[in-house]
Amino acid sequence: MQLRFEKRLHQSKIMLLAAPFIAIALSVVLSCILLVVLKKPILLTFHSFFIAPFENFYSITEIFLKFGPLLLIAQALAVGFRAKIWNIGAEGQMVIGAIAASAVPVYFVDSTSGWLLPAMIVLGALGGMAWAAIAAFLRTQFNANEILVTLMLTSIALQLLYFLLLGPWKDPMGFNFPQTVMFQDEALFPALFSGVRLNVSIIFPILFTIAVWLFMEKHYGGYKLVVGGLAPSAAGYAGFSSKKAVWGSLLLAGFAAGIAGMSEVAGPIGQLQRSMTSGYGYSAIIVAYLGALNPIGIVFAAFFLAVLHIGGDVALVSAGLPISAVHIFQGMILIFYLSAYAFVNYRLRVVQPVTQPDSAVSS
Amino acid sequence: MPSVEPVSADSEPLLSLRNITKAYPSVVANDSINLDVHAGSIHAILGENGAGKSTLMKLAYGVVEPDSGEILWRNKPVDLRSTAAARKLGIGMVFQHFSLFETLSVVENISLTMPGSRKKLARRIAQVGADYDLHVDPAASVHSLSVGERQRVEIIRCLMQDLKLLILDEPTSVLPPQHVSSLFAALRKLRDNGVAILFISHKLEEIRALCDSATILRGGKVAATVNPNEKTAHELATLMIGHDIPQVEARANQVDLNKPLLELSAVSVKSSDPFGTDLKNINLSVHAGEIVGVAGVSGNGQQELSRLISGEHVETSAAFDCIRMMDKPVTYLGAVDRRQLGFAFVPEERLGRGAVPPMSLSKNSLLTASDKGMHRKGFLNKPRMDEFTQHCIKEFDVRCGGVEAEATSLSGGNLQKFIVGRELSLQPKLLFLSQPTWGVDIGAATAIRQRLLDLRDAGVAILVISEELEELFEITDRVYVIRSGTLSPSLVTSDVTPNDIGKYMIGEQQQASVTGGSHAT
């Protein structure tokens, strides 16, 4: 008997739906093993991760606070991934968006104008797009690999952030902490309910999701991008511009990441500081894949990862787990998902060898 | 030298396949195949594309293993689980795509699989070459050899082992007509020395000329085993496709010489691919109401020419006016703009270029027919897409599971019919097809050719790149021959013979040395 890994004739729709659940299940099993080895309480840990986040209203609003930026960035990244344009630097685009938006309250400290917030939104979007445009330009002009360029631009963006926070933009009254002034109320999104951090910026990811769904499912532009990803020669034959696809998907991701970065500094954080991204730019890559690059799947995936983030915070306190536990769990989900996804296009088959007569010539 | 023991053809079979079945996920490629090959005979495997010929050969050469059934060698069961096992028995195979390293010399290539010093091997290569009229210079680099010479190297490599059975996969498909006869002479000599030859082809005339027996495959099963000399080509074809072959009706046509719809004047293109062919000083014209062919052995610049005309490659260094379509300069225009002028193109690769494999036919219509009202302000008009696709399916007899069927689920011939149908539904003034009937069954190929003739009569200008000379002779009014990126002068098809075309394919100046049988560089 022999096992053979062979290509399926058609994609398996069942596997496509089952893959994220298989990935989560396997990650849970492996986590249990890790917890046992580390001598941490298993039940308490899983309670912290999956039950505790839903136990009170505040905690639920916190889930949606994380859900917003993850959803926004993941939707945009998925568009690019379907066109096989690998922007993994949403983190950097988010940082630049936040920096660009923060310039307004930093330089107009005393302003109470109603235009503060709109100006920040526009600058945040433009900042993220400008950072992504560098990668698009280098790719279309010199065929520089966008994976490397976007990744390295993230490092540059972070250094720029640190420079501003330690130098020109440092809060003069801030006891030398690397952060800007706290923004005035006019530069912050109003909260949805009193006493919670969840604010009106949650509307951006929701509107963006609808727009992306329409674009990818119902629009000629989305079709062109998908053709470029699935069959580049067919896109060339049809005359779809690959340069436009690179520019379009990178600018879209820059736009989304910029808005997400802006929403963080003008939302829960209220100032520009070092850890303002919370790693959303990277987590969004996992969200995009866990959602099978499908606009609707991504909504669920973003929610799941948001729960995981909140649960990680709870587990930090209640089960004494290190914060890296969340990252390990996220990493496991991605690895298992990608492995399970292989079975969407391939299958294992048991092969019975042909009966071998005695006089066989050995090879 | 092969050790040859003269055996008469009616003794026990050398290789026998008994009830061999091999299934792939999508298709049963071989279904209970029985086959006997005798020493000293040339046995043809005849069948359309997809009939299971290649799978059968791979089974005989140990490339794939059968799911069930038995392979006998001199009436004893053998286990052919690798090509090494097959070679050990004395089986050699020449694939359609050669397995030679282009940067190495002939003797270096052969020394990779044969023991012995290069000097000794070179002597043996020359000896075998002389014995069978398969002349090659052992010291020549493979990249400098013509396709025919490379094929000789492959055959010599097989002959240098103790060869009992030689398998040839469509050996003539890559050869100009002149080289076919010298190949056949060598094969007959091999047969007379007692070697069994399995000869795979879909060309009926050459099987009748060369082979002693023929197994005809249809849909993975043996349709008949016959003596091809006793059958007419028509009878063989009927056995091969299972019903009578349709005929293309040719009619006299009216060419409007005042209306060139495609003109290339002195275009030169440097290939972006380091192994590609540069186009040199191409002059070509196609008028309304005529079909113009481009003949040539593959790899002589056909790819580059087709990308240049389709607009997939825009040559920015060329003069503004050197490519004209419908009397407008299009040199700097991309594929979309050329299509809007009334140009349509059927590329040679169906999956991945002419169609997006995992997408539905309906979405594949959108690839080039988006201007047929398929979107309004960018938003897709699904009913219109489906209607257009349904029309293509019905009009061109595309066998498929409906407008939502994925392109990959269609057979090669049906997908080609769909793509041709889609492009014709654009109602082009200028139609360009590259290898329009490659891998397409006879019925579909005839239907496509008939369509082209009808379109020509309706005043469409048609350009066809094809390696099938018979096809070009059947439908074209004029032909050009492409060789090393240069185009021959225009030839009127009815005034030339396949041999004349062949001269251009191999370059006239080499004519003398080729007919002399010696090697040409």
Side-chain angles (χ1 to χ4, degrees):
Chain A
M1 205 184 79
Q2 205 183 342
L3 277 178
R4 207 172 281 176
F5 197 58
E6 61 181 25
K7 203 164 166 63
R8 290 179 197 265
L9 198 54
H10 299 287
Q11 277 203 340
S12 160
K13 297 273 183 279
I14 296 170
M15 245 347 263
L16 198 61
L17 283 175
F21 297 100
I22 294 173
I24 291 167
L26 288 174
S27 306
V28 166
V29 171
L30 192 61
S31 306
C32 286
I33 297 171
L34 267 179
L35 288 171
V36 170
V37 173
L38 292 170
K39 299 196 174 62
K40 300 285 181 190
I42 293 179
L43 281 179
L44 183 60
T45 304
F46 280 104
H47 181 270
S48 313
F49 263 103
F50 297 115
I51 312 281
F54 298 98
E55 276 181 336
N56 61 62
F57 179 70
Y58 179 78
S59 184
I60 291 173
T61 62
E62 286 289 293
I63 293 175
F64 281 99
L65 189 70
K66 304 249 173 215
F67 171 70
L70 283 176
L71 180 62
L72 185 59
I73 301 173
Q75 291 289 14
L77 289 183
V79 172
F81 292 165
R82 287 185 73 180
K84 300 259 158 70
I85 291 153
W86 311 110
N87 171 15
I88 57 166
E91 184 88 356
Q93 291 143 25
M94 198 179 165
V95 168
I96 298 295
I99 290 175
S102 299
V104 179
V106 165
Y107 287 113
F108 299 93
V109 183
D110 300 321
S111 171
T112 54
S113 163
W115 290 103
L116 275 179
L117 207 51
M120 288 169 73
I121 296 173
V122 170
L123 279 176
L126 288 179
M129 287 163 82
W131 211 241
I134 300 174
F137 174 77
L138 293 176
R139 161 79 193 262
T140 50
Q141 211 61 33
F142 304 110
N143 205 20
N145 185 311
E146 75 279 9
I147 301 178
L148 295 175
V149 173
T150 53
L151 187 65
M152 292 192 292
L153 279 174
T154 298
S155 299
I156 298 173
L158 284 172
Q159 294 307 319
L160 183 63
L161 175 69
Y162 299 160
F163 164 73
L164 290 171
L165 293 178
L166 292 168
W169 285 14
K170 187 162 67 178
D171 181 3
M173 316 293 277
F175 305 102
N176 231 7
F177 277 108
Q179 55 195 27
T180 63
V181 290
M182 288 301 293
F183 298 167
Q184 58 271 51
D185 284 349
E186 288 77 10
L188 298 176
F189 285 112
L192 270 185
F193 311 99
S194 65
V196 301
R197 301 202 294 166
L198 182 62
N199 59 56
V200 296
S201 70
I202 188 76
I203 194 76
F204 295 135
I206 293 169
L207 291 178
F208 192 70
T209 297
I210 297 169
V212 165
W213 181 81
L214 278 174
F215 182 71
M216 294 308 279
E217 303 292 325
K218 303 284 173 199
H219 199 274
Y220 190 43
Y223 169 82
K224 288 187 192 175
L225 278 179
V226 175
V227 169
L230 287 173
S233 300
Y237 160 67
F240 304 157
S241 158
S242 61
K243 284 189 180 180
K244 273 189 196 163
V246 171
W247 277 101
S249 35
L250 276 163
L251 287 182
L252 188 73
F255 171 84
I259 299 265
M262 177 270 160
S263 304
E264 283 299 291
V265 293
I269 300 175
Q271 62 183 169
L272 190 62
Q273 49 159 262
R274 292 180 72 138
S275 57
M276 49 83 31
T277 67
S278 311
Y280 291 141
Y282 293 123
S283 296
I285 299 172
I286 302 176
V287 172
Y289 272 102
L290 202 58
L293 306 184
N294 174 304
I296 296 164
I298 286 170
V299 174
F300 292 99
F303 186 77
F304 178 76
L305 249 76
V307 171
L308 212 61
H309 270 276
I310 301 296
D313 289 345
V314 180
L316 190 70
V317 181
S318 61
L321 237 57
I323 190 71
S324 49
V326 179
H327 299 142
I328 292 175
F329 194 71
Q330 277 190 18
M332 284 196 279
I333 289 178
L334 183 62
I335 297 284
F336 282 127
Y337 177 75
L338 293 178
S339 314
Y341 189 83
F343 289 90
V344 172
N345 290 314
Y346 291 84
R347 66 175 175 191
L348 272 180
R349 203 166 69 103
V350 182
V351 188
Q352 299 293 345
V354 190
T355 45
Q356 290 164 32
D358 304 332
S359 59
V361 175
S362 64
S363 48
Chain B
M1 279 296 296
S3 83
V4 286
E5 13 183 317
V7 193
S8 67
D10 53 9
S11 66
E12 59 161 31
L14 184 68
L15 177 80
S16 312
L17 306 183
R18 294 275 171 267
N19 291 315
I20 290 285
T21 296
K22 172 72 193 171
Y24 289 109
S26 55
V27 67
V28 180
N30 283 169
D31 190 355
S32 316
I33 299 280
N34 285 300
L35 175 73
D36 286 324
V37 189
H38 294 269
S41 86
I42 303 180
H43 190 109
I45 305 288
L46 179 63
E48 290 201 82
N49 285 288
K53 299 181 304 243
S54 296
T55 304
L56 192 62
M57 292 311 99
K58 287 179 187 161
L59 286 164
Y61 192 51
V63 180
V64 293
E65 287 178 60
D67 295 336
S68 67
E70 224 181 359
I71 300 177
L72 306 177
W73 183 258
R74 294 193 163 128
N75 277 335
K76 290 196 191 83
V78 286
D79 186 20
L80 284 177
R81 49 172 48 208
S82 71
T83 54
R87 275 198 299 270
K88 223 166 154 185
L89 288 175
I91 303 176
M93 178 157 179
V94 177
F95 289 91
Q96 220 170 339
H97 300 282
F98 304 143
S99 38
L100 295 170
F101 291 97
E102 301 214 350
T103 48
L104 301 182
S105 72
V106 171
V107 63
E108 282 167 336
N109 263 290
I110 288 182
S111 72
L112 291 172
T113 49
M114 296 291 293
S117 74
R118 295 226 176 112
K119 227 172 130 187
K120 264 190 187 161
L121 285 174
R123 261 208 311 276
R124 282 188 61 201
I125 292 168
Q127 182 63 46
V128 171
D131 287 347
Y132 291 98
D133 282 338
L134 294 166
H135 297 280
V136 222
D137 175 6
S141 290
V142 167
H143 67 80
S144 70
L145 300 182
S146 71
V147 185
E149 289 170 307
R150 291 178 199 203
Q151 191 176 53
R152 284 182 218 159
V153 177
E154 291 266 6
I155 296 174
I156 290 172
R157 178 155 71 182
C158 295
L159 286 173
M160 288 178 66
Q161 62 184 6
D162 181 17
L163 187 71
K164 304 278 195 315
L165 171 65
L166 178 63
I167 307 172
L168 298 157
D169 189 4
E170 306 254 0
T172 57
S173 66
V174 294
L175 295 181
Q178 279 83 349
H179 289 176
V180 170
S181 49
S182 56
L183 170 71
F184 282 7
L187 294 182
R188 289 198 183 97
K189 215 162 184 179
L190 269 173
R191 171 192 62 192
D192 296 342
N193 281 337
V195 175
I197 295 172
L198 261 179
F199 186 89
I200 303 157
S201 183
H202 64 271
K203 295 185 181 168
L204 307 163
E205 284 305 338
E206 56 183 48
I207 282 177
R208 291 190 62 236
L210 180 73
C211 300
D212 309 309
S213 56
T215 297
I216 299 165
L217 294 183
R218 192 167 71 224
K221 293 189 173 122
V222 175
T225 302
V226 298
N227 181 344
N229 304 315
E230 292 166 2
K231 300 272 176 193
T232 65
H234 186 87
E235 285 169 325
L236 288 177
T238 310
L239 280 170
M240 187 163 93
I241 62 173
H243 51 83
D244 214 3
I245 3 165
Q247 292 291 326
V248 173
E249 270 179 69
R251 288 179 294 271
N253 64 320
Q254 210 64 58
V255 184
D256 190 348
L257 284 172
N258 295 321
K259 261 179 88 180
L261 295 188
L262 173 67
E263 279 177 290
L264 274 70
S265 10
V267 195
S268 295
V269 178
K270 249 188 131 38
S271 179
S272 50
D273 179 353
F275 295 102
T277 309
D278 298 341
L279 297 177
K280 287 156 236 154
N281 195 25
I282 300 284
N283 288 292
L284 179 153
S285 65
V286 187
H287 302 87
E290 69 172 343
I291 301 182
V292 174
V294 175
V297 176
S298 73
N300 271 294
Q302 287 95 330
Q303 281 269 353
E304 288 78 5
L305 184 63
S306 81
R307 291 172 55 81
L308 181 70
I309 295 175
S310 72
E312 287 162 278
H313 174 86
V314 174
E315 182 62 27
T316 41
S317 69
F320 161 76
D321 213 16
C322 67
I323 306 175
R324 294 176 71 85
M325 280 180 187
M326 322 324 149
D327 224 18
K328 292 189 179 67
V330 297
T331 313
Y332 303 147
L333 297 186
V336 175
D337 293 328
R338 293 185 191 192
R339 203 174 291 129
Q340 272 163 359
L341 287 175
F343 170 72
F345 172 44
V346 178
E348 65 265 35
E349 301 107 333
R350 290 186 272 275
L351 279 176
R353 185 154 164 220
V356 185
M359 279 190 173
S360 68
L361 291 183
S362 189
K363 282 193 164 176
N364 268 302
S365 292
L366 193 56
L367 201 59
T368 58
S370 62
D371 281 347
K372 296 275 162 193
M374 290 190 187
H375 60 85
R376 213 173 311 139
K377 288 186 178 150
F379 283 93
L380 302 179
N381 182 348
K382 184 85 169 69
R384 183 74 194 95
M385 284 160 61
D386 290 348
E387 188 192 321
F388 179 93
T389 312
Q390 193 58 50
H391 170 81
C392 289
I393 292 174
K394 236 178 107 187
E395 182 81 9
F396 291 85
D397 187 30
V398 180
R399 312 274 162 79
C400 65
V403 296
E404 292 303 323
E406 288 177 8
T408 35
S409 69
L410 271 65
S411 72
N414 276 309
L415 187 58
Q416 183 71 348
K417 283 196 276 187
F418 171 74
I419 294 172
V420 170
R422 179 186 68 196
E423 297 307 308
L424 293 191
S425 302
L426 300 177
Q427 288 148 325
K429 299 189 184 89
L430 169 64
L431 177 64
F432 175 30
L433 307 98
S434 185
Q435 313 293 359
T437 57
W438 229 357
V440 173
D441 56 76
I442 292 184
T446 314
I448 289 171
R449 288 173 195 156
Q450 187 64 57
R451 280 277 176 180
L452 296 184
L453 288 169
D454 294 347
L455 274 178
R456 178 198 72 181
D457 295 346
V460 176
I462 302 175
L463 178 66
V464 180
I465 291 185
S466 179
E467 281 167 40
E468 302 258 358
L469 270 187
E470 293 155 31
E471 172 169 88
L472 292 175
F473 273 97
E474 193 173 339
I475 59 171
T476 63
D477 302 301
R478 287 189 295 128
V479 274
Y480 295 88
V481 185
I482 192 166
R483 179 173 174 273
S484 308
T486 46
L487 219 52
S488 74
S490 154
L491 309 165
V492 175
T493 313
S494 52
D495 296 348
V496 291
T497 64
N499 254 331
D500 299 332
I501 304 272
K503 281 182 196 168
Y504 282 103
M505 281 184 182
I506 51 184
E508 282 172 301
Q509 66 277 20
Q510 293 175 13
Q511 195 46 31
S513 62
V514 166
T515 44
S518 72
H519 102 272
T521 18

